[in-house]
Structure formats: structure tokens, C-alpha cells
Amino acid sequence: MTTRLTRFLNTAAMALLTAGILAGCANTPTDLQPGAAAKLQTRLQSLSRDAADNNLPAAKAELDLFTSEFSTAAANGEISPTRRQDIQNAIDLIRADLAAMTTTPAPAPTPSPTAQTPTPVAPQPPAKGKAKGKDD
């Protein structure tokens, strides 16, 4: 698994954890309404599945849908300002990771150095028929 994918999956897992926290906080009516928590959690699960399948276009589309539903819930007052900021921070982090994964090419594998032993040059016999020295 590549480092970028691992980083993204960790971020997506964090987002799912955030969704779990969101669902757990749904008991406080002013923090997050149960309907909004359920919709957002469903989107985050889809996003995580797409990321696990390394389907970046689908993950981006799910993130866009999540952001849209989040904005609607926030505009309707279903999310408190504090919770809204926490969710927005998670969205920004995931979006940055997705952007980095699509714009940065995967690093090429580095070839392992191999020790090359120099091949000894065999001595050449003297050429026949050549003129010999002055004293011959």
C-alpha cells in the first residue's frame, strides 16, 4: 500500500471516528440533530469504502455530496457552531489529502544498488610479425 493511500485511509478513518462522535453527540439536541448525523455518517462510510478501493474519483464525489449535505444541515441549524467547525476541519483535511493524491505522481521505485566486480583484462600476447627492437 502506498504512503499516500495509507495517509488517506488514516484520514478517512479519522473522519469515520468523527462521524461516530457526531452520532454519539446526537443526544444533545443543540449540538447535532439525529437526522443530520445519520446522513453525514452514511456519506462518510461511502467515502471510506471508495478510498479503501482506491477509487479516488468516487471518493471525491462522495466528499462533495458530504459537503453539500453538511452545508444544508448547518444552514438549517441542525449543527451547532462548535460541531460545525470540527466537521469543517475534517472536510478540509480529507479534501487536501485527496488533492495531494491526484496531483502528486507516485514515486518511482528506487533500484537497489548492486555491487559490480570489475572484470580483469586478460594480458594480450605480443603481436607476431612486428619489428623487434634496434638490437635484434
Side-chain angles (χ1 to χ4, degrees), residues 2-19:
T2 67
T3 303
R4 293 182 312 154
L5 180 58
T6 301
R7 182 176 172 214
F8 178 75
L9 290 176
N10 288 338
T11 303
M14 182 185 72
L16 280 176
L17 179 61
T18 301

Side-chain angles (χ1 to χ4, degrees), residues 26-43:
N27 294 334
T28 309
T30 58
D31 196 36
L32 179 64
Q33 297 297 317
K39 285 181 185 178
L40 295 176
Q41 190 170 25
T42 299
R43 285 285 172 216

